[in-house]
Amino acid sequence: MHLDALAAARRHEHRFDDGNPLAERNTRRALWLTVGMMLVEIVGGWWFNSMAVLADGWHMSSHALALGLSVFAYRCARRYAHDPRFAFGTWKIEILAGYTSAIALLGVAALMAVQSLQRLWVPAPIHYNEAIAIAAVGLGVNLLCAWWLHDSPGHAHHHHGHDHGHPHGHDHEHGHAHGHDLNLRSAYVHVLADAATSVLAIVALLGGKLLGLTWLDPVMGLIGAVLVTVWAIGLLRDSGRILLDAQMDAPVVAEVREVIEQGPWPARLADLHVWQVGRGKYAVSASVVTSDTNLDADTVRNALAIHGELVHVTVEIHRS
């Protein structure tokens, strides 16, 4: 049996992620703009008696908190990037922030639903012109923040290809996206949810003003609550899978199996563990059974090097 670890002479880097400075800066800008608009909407919605605008203001307050949490996570991940206590780096601080933000989104959705139901039972007169103006400005702020965050690297769920420089000239194309930033995505979803509720508020207020449909205001609040809940559940699912290392169904796992079990040697996997340690970066621990006396851990690890997203590979060889 041969147990492979990283070469002793090679310095082990605990950070498998180089951070996302542009995303951090844009998230900070979105935070301060959101805080300012939040105050305007809360005061304006209360003053002009619009449930849709007031709900959007309170909704925006939770997003301000979530954006602040995202900025805090970026700073902590950067500060402790080389702390040896973190065996695989600090990237999961950002994932934890995204998970927490998703929980905050669920709280916002519940608050929006309760307030909207209350307004359905007890209608109140609305100052439509002023409320529409505030909602329109809020929408503009949300769209600007969304543009900042969308323009940051690591946000999109895109497909990409890797040329790993395999010695046989093999270009490996990945049909899956490993590299999105869930901390950034959580901030983006919060801002996008704000934009959606702003649109719903404007529609409700226009319907009330032009058609006399006063019930639209609280109904749109309920629709917004449902929309926010759906987004929050998606974010909880994606961030939770990473935090719990529940990623053995990820495409990269099948790629590891293919390299080891379909290579130019008789081998099978007795045990395999793959988990994410950074944006688009994975660690692998594999136990390989083979009858080939020439197959060693270095050979397997070199074969796996075609997949550049594998940054920490441990291979154990068993002879059959």
Side-chain angles (χ1 to χ4, degrees), residues 2 260 263-268 288-297 299-300 317-320:
H2 177 75
I260 294 176
W265 49 65
R268 65 178 177 84
V288 181
V289 177
T290 181
S291 59
D292 187 345
T293 57
N294 294 320
L295 181 62
D296 58 19
T299 302
V300 175
I317 299 294
H318 296 272
R319 307 298 175 189
S320 59

Side-chain angles (χ1 to χ4, degrees), residues 81-93:
H82 302 288
D83 190 322
R85 293 177 299 174
F86 295 90
F88 290 99
T90 56
W91 173 71
K92 283 190 177 179
I93 292 177

